[in-house]
Amino acid sequence: MAINVTNTSAADPLSRHQILSWVNESLQSNYVKIEELCTGAAYCQFMDMLFPGTLSMKKVKFTSKLEHEYIQNFKLLQAAFTKMQVDQVSVVLSFCDCLLSD
């Protein structure tokens, strides 16, 4: 069973640059804009990194440009959450909007 972890330090929120730096360093990737994370591929990579074998990375669409491909990635992610008994699963379409506030 997975345990949800949240950032409790609301006094010092992370900037887009800090988030991208952490993601790129962790995944050894080269994301340039935070909006590139809306495909869901990076989240699938994190899930596979944390819980190997919980989802099939072969099914993840890394070069997705269309919303239905994003949704497919997030459905894979949700299935992995269910498999790991994560009790709070985010709504797929809210991620697909790719809207982040500063």
Side-chain angles (χ1 to χ4, degrees), residues 32-49:
V32 178
K33 295 168 61 176
I34 197 113
E35 288 79 11
E36 293 176 82
L37 300 178
C38 74
T39 67
Y43 302 112
C44 290
Q45 285 180 280
F46 276 118
M47 190 67 177
D48 187 61
M49 186 172 70

Side-chain angles (χ1 to χ4, degrees), residues 12-73:
D12 190 23
L14 297 174
S15 71
R16 289 174 176 234
H17 176 43
Q18 290 171 311
I19 293 170
L20 273 178
S21 293
W22 179 78
V23 168
N24 284 330
E25 183 180 323
S26 298
L27 298 178
Q28 298 177 352
S29 57
N30 193 28
Y31 291 106
V32 178
K33 295 168 61 176
I34 197 113
E35 288 79 11
E36 293 176 82
L37 300 178
C38 74
T39 67
Y43 302 112
C44 290
Q45 285 180 280
F46 276 118
M47 190 67 177
D48 187 61
M49 186 172 70
L50 294 169
F51 305 103
T54 56
L55 58 87
S56 174
M57 292 302 291
K58 291 179 183 179
K59 293 181 180 180
V60 176
K61 298 183 185 306
F62 287 95
T63 58
S64 58
K65 302 245 184 242
L66 303 172
E67 185 174 329
H68 73 274
E69 294 173 329
Y70 300 173
I71 291 171
Q72 181 60 36
N73 286 343

Side-chain angles (χ1 to χ4, degrees), residues 68-85:
H68 73 274
E69 294 173 329
Y70 300 173
I71 291 171
Q72 181 60 36
N73 286 343
F74 281 103
K75 285 183 177 180
L76 290 170
L77 186 62
Q78 280 188 322
F81 285 156
T82 300
K83 187 175 185 178
M84 293 307 299
Q85 300 175 346

